[in-house]
């Protein structure tokens, strides 16, 4: 290994130097490759940045015509037995260069780890006879960053089944649908798909989700609705479909996102003024149809339904005030992480705040430790609006083992008017203000 001039660090090998090392190992008989030499290769690779060296290494390997069986053998060794992420990733690169159908299951298995999905997806696409279908199989096994990386690898696919999957569900992930919505719309050809006279519910729901994600994500980490070349005809067609389709809360949520996009558009939309005017009026008209209010109130009528919270934002946008339904939901004792609590605290008046906070205090006693700090952080923040209530919750937050929870609670307590403090709260605040805090960053502002 080469070291830096001061001798304190190791200089990572270039792709050319790494190809030299691999070539020497492959020229040697298999029986002569000792464990020590493999450990040396492993330790060398641990100094690399796989994402930076992969392309150069691939070019060198192909230029030299290194044998596939040797690349595959070393790739398997590193992928299966590597103890550092960089050698494992380089092993996946080598399997992409020399692997075959025998490596499919290993690549699918390792690819389920978000850290390895990108390299496994590229290896699958390069090494398998049905590369896109293999990556598709991997994409269906992952839901977070792995889904994003795998689907991005499918950007150029022409397979009809994969393109249909992208439109119906492939863009959905647990990070942000915005990352994949534009890719799904373009690679999946949403415009053509919606042009068919008969649309099934999966495509309709997928189209709504894609348009909503592009609307929500405009100016974000990926191209948005204003960057979608087929936006105008697709928005027109989607509006026609929504007009006649059986309404659902999921459809309403997508409709709200699109309508909000037109209420607060980017400074300039690359569309004809007449199209912008028409679509703005069309989506506002759709949103104000009476059927949506009836749908939301019907959804909220059952306080025990697990998806109760999905109708909370629509209720707010439609200017509904389902206070009785919210209180009925909270009476069932949902987890303190249930969005209903935050919604209720944000929109409750003084008459109902005391009751809501009392319910939360009782629920805290049965909240699992794994949820407790997160819940206390939320309540410590929203209790700023209700200084006359919630001291027991705030007291629990002030003794949390998580610094962020303690800081938020202390900031909230310091902001309460003096005449709203219980004697215990006033004494606590006085003590903090007159003593040296254990953590300086937690001092009262």
């Amino acid at each position: 290994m080469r070291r830096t001039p001061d001798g304190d660090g190791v200089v990572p090998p270039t792709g050319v130097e790494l190809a030299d090392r691999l070539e020497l190992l492959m020229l040697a008989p298999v029986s002569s490759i000792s464990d020590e030499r493999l450990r040396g290769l492993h330790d060398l690779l641990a100094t690399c940045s796989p994402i930076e060296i992969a392309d150069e290494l691939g070019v060198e390997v192909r230029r030299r015509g290194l044998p596939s069986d040797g690349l595959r053998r070393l790739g398997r060794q590193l992928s299966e037995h590597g103890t550092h992420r960089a050698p494992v990733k380089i092993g996946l690169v080598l399997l992409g260069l020399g692997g075959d159908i025998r490596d499919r299951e290993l690549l699918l298995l390792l690819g389920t780890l978000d850290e390895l999905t990108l390299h496994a997806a590229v290896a699958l696409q390069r090494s398998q006879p049905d590369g896109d279908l293999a990556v598709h199989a991997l994409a269906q096994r992952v839901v977070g960053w792995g889904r994003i990386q795998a689907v991005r690898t499918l950007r150029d696919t022409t397979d009809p089944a994969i393109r249909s999957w992208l439109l119906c569900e492939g863009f959905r992930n647990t990070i942000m649908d915005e990352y994949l919505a534009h890719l799904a719309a373009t690679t999946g050809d949403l415009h053509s798909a919606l042009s068919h006279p008969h649309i099934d519910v999966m495509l309709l729901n997928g189209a709504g989700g894609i348009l909503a994600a592009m609307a929500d994500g405009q100016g974000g980490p990926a191209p948005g609705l204003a960057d979608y070349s087929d936006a105008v005809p697709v928005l027109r067609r989607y509006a026609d479909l929504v007009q006649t389709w059986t309404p659902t809360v999921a459809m309403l949520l997508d409709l709200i996102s699109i309508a909000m996009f037109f209420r607060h558009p980017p400074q300039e939309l690359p569309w004809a003024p007449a199209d912008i005017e028409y679509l703005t009026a069309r989506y506002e008209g759709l949103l104000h149809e009476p059927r949506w209010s009836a749908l939301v109130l019907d959804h909220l009528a059952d306080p025990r339904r697990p998806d109760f919270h999905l109708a909370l934002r629509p209720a707010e946008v439609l200017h509904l005030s389902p206070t009785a339904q919210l209180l009925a939901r909270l009476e069932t004792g949902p987890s303190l992480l249930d969005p209903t609590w935050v919604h209720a605290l944000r929109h409750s008046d003084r008459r109902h705040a005391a009751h809501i906070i009392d319910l939360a205090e009782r629920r805290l006693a049965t909240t699992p430790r794994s949820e407790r700090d997160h819940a206390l952080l939320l309540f410590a923040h929203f209790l700023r609006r209700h200084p006359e209530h919630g001291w027991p919750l705030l007291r629990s937050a002030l003794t949390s083992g998580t610094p962020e929870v303690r800081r938020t609670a202390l900031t909230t307590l310091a902001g309460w008017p003096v005449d709203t403090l219980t004697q215990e709260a006033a004494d606590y605040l006085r003590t903090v203000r007159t003593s040296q805090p254990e953590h300086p960053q937690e001092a009262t502002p």
Side-chain angles (χ1 to χ4, degrees):
M1 296 184 187
R2 291 182 296 123
R3 293 194 172 273
T4 55
D6 59 12
D8 291 337
V10 175
V11 178
T14 65
V16 173
E17 292 169 336
L18 186 52
D20 289 339
R21 188 72 169 263
L22 295 176
E23 189 169 15
L24 287 174
L25 280 174
M26 285 183 222
L27 290 175
V30 174
S31 58
S32 69
I33 302 178
S34 65
D35 290 343
E36 183 178 352
R37 294 181 71 186
L38 288 174
R39 281 196 300 270
L41 174 64
H42 179 279
D43 294 344
L44 177 66
L45 294 176
T47 68
C48 297
S49 170
I51 199 71
E52 293 179 4
I53 205 171
D55 288 343
E56 183 184 7
L57 176 61
V59 170
E60 277 298 309
V61 164
R62 286 189 289 269
R63 185 181 69 80
R64 301 176 187 214
L66 297 186
S68 296
D69 59 339
L71 292 168
R72 178 176 181 271
R73 176 166 46 83
L74 288 176
R76 293 284 304 206
Q77 183 73 22
L78 293 167
S79 300
E80 291 184 287
H81 304 290
T83 57
H84 186 283
R85 67 187 65 185
V88 173
K89 290 177 181 178
I90 295 294
L92 294 175
V93 171
L94 296 181
L95 286 177
L97 295 167
D100 56 36
I101 191 65
R102 293 171 292 174
D103 306 307
R104 188 188 190 95
E105 289 307 315
L106 175 63
L107 293 171
L108 288 173
L109 176 63
L110 294 178
T112 58
L113 300 172
D114 280 355
E115 177 78 18
L116 303 178
T117 306
L118 173 60
H119 294 84
V122 173
L124 282 167
Q125 197 167 57
R126 290 176 174 174
S127 68
Q128 302 303 299
D130 55 348
D132 283 356
L133 289 176
V135 176
H136 178 219
L138 174 59
Q140 292 175 289
R141 297 187 182 192
V142 286
V143 294
W145 284 112
R147 168 66 65 87
I148 294 169
Q149 300 286 16
V151 168
R152 283 175 171 173
T153 308
L154 293 169
R155 184 183 301 275
D156 298 321
T157 188
T158 58
D159 185 280
I162 298 175
R163 293 171 70 179
S164 176
W165 175 78
L166 288 174
L167 294 177
C168 294
E169 59 180 303
F171 68 95
R172 301 192 189 277
N173 61 87
T174 57
I175 307 301
M176 287 174 61
D177 289 353
E178 290 90 321
Y179 277 105
L180 297 176
H182 185 273
L183 184 153
T186 51
T187 298
D189 194 0
L190 180 59
H191 186 198
S192 295
L194 289 184
S195 298
H196 293 292
H198 303 293
I199 304 298
D200 63 32
V201 68
M202 289 188 65
L203 177 57
L204 180 69
N205 290 340
I210 288 170
L211 292 171
M214 285 196 289
D216 290 337
Q218 187 65 48
L225 197 55
D227 308 302
Y228 177 38
S229 59
D230 290 325
V232 170
V234 168
L235 286 166
R236 284 176 176 268
R237 174 61 171 157
Y238 181 71
D240 292 341
L241 292 168
V242 170
Q243 184 85 57
T244 60
W245 212 273
T246 302
T248 66
V249 171
M251 186 186 297
L252 176 56
L253 285 166
D254 295 336
L255 181 59
I256 288 171
S257 291
I258 299 169
M260 292 302 168
F261 173 86
F262 285 106
R263 287 186 189 179
H264 310 286
Q267 288 186 342
E268 292 186 18
L269 289 174
W271 307 332
D275 288 329
I276 297 173
E277 182 179 358
Y278 170 81
L279 291 171
T280 301
R282 185 72 194 279
Y283 278 92
E284 283 293 335
L286 282 173
L287 192 57
H288 285 88
E289 291 179 350
R291 59 178 176 149
W292 301 115
S293 294
L295 172 72
V296 169
L297 292 175
D298 180 66
H299 184 99
L300 297 176
D302 180 1
R304 293 189 178 275
R305 62 184 301 161
D307 61 348
F308 180 92
H309 65 281
L310 293 181
L312 295 178
R313 182 168 183 248
E316 182 180 352
V317 171
L318 297 177
H319 304 294
L320 304 176
S321 299
T323 302
Q325 293 93 326
L326 286 173
L327 294 177
R329 169 68 171 180
L330 298 181
E331 290 282 0
T332 67
S335 162
L336 287 180
L337 299 182
D338 188 296
T340 310
W341 292 102
V342 170
H343 185 89
L345 283 173
R346 182 184 287 131
H347 298 286
S348 62
D349 55 28
R350 296 185 64 180
R351 291 180 304 147
H352 298 105
H355 181 53
I356 293 168
I357 293 171
D358 179 66
L359 290 173
E361 289 170 356
R362 281 186 269 157
R363 182 68 179 85
L364 184 65
T366 58
T367 297
R369 182 177 297 274
S370 59
E371 298 180 4
R372 189 180 177 90
D373 277 355
H374 190 185
L376 287 172
L377 180 62
L378 291 173
F379 276 89
H381 176 77
F382 283 101
L383 282 173
R384 295 175 189 178
R385 299 182 64 247
H386 304 284
E388 66 274 27
H389 305 295
W391 166 243
L393 282 172
L394 209 56
R395 180 177 56 206
S396 296
L398 288 164
T399 59
S400 166
T402 303
E404 184 183 5
V405 178
R406 296 197 302 271
R407 284 195 298 270
T408 303
L410 187 56
T411 300
T412 294
L413 179 61
W416 282 1
V418 174
D419 59 359
T420 66
L421 299 177
T422 66
Q423 186 61 50
E424 183 182 1
D427 290 344
Y428 183 94
L429 189 57
R430 189 178 303 110
T431 300
V432 171
R433 280 175 168 164
T434 57
S435 64
Q436 180 69 27
E438 179 183 352
H439 303 283
Q441 70 271 25
E442 296 178 28
T444 304

